[in-house]
Amino acid sequence: MDGTANNIILAIAGVASVLLFAVKGFLDQLPDVFDSFRRAREAWQRLWGKQGEVATPDETEEPPPPVTVPADDQQEPPAAA
């Protein structure tokens, strides 16, 4: 009878330790899951939130200067290797 009680106590302790290990592994993954959910939600809002808006250039930015090639540019383009 003493051996049976020992085995039951060891079995309960083993099951408890495996259960705690599994719960710890699950809880360690939660911050990554929450970060992924937040990024997905923000991407979804960017995708669907700006679809109805018309893109207009920002008034504070200057347009880039026009690119012009001088008329007296007589150089040959570089040869392909």
Side-chain angles (χ1 to χ4, degrees):
M1 193 72 175
D2 292 332
T4 305
N6 251 353
N7 286 341
I8 291 174
I9 291 172
L10 288 175
I12 291 173
V15 169
S17 67
V18 168
L19 183 64
L20 287 174
F21 184 75
V23 168
K24 180 189 179 302
F26 175 73
L27 291 176
D28 285 344
Q29 293 177 0
L30 283 179
D32 294 333
V33 171
F34 292 146
D35 288 341
S36 297
F37 177 75
R38 180 184 47 81
R39 286 192 308 255
R41 186 183 60 203
E42 288 172 357
W44 184 265
Q45 288 174 348
R46 281 194 311 268
L47 175 68
W48 294 106
K50 295 186 178 188
Q51 220 175 31
E53 298 175 7
V54 176
T56 57
D58 197 11
E59 294 178 7
T60 58
E61 289 185 25
E62 293 182 15
V67 178
T68 57
V69 178
D72 60 345
D73 189 14
Q74 298 296 328
Q75 291 181 343
E76 292 287 325

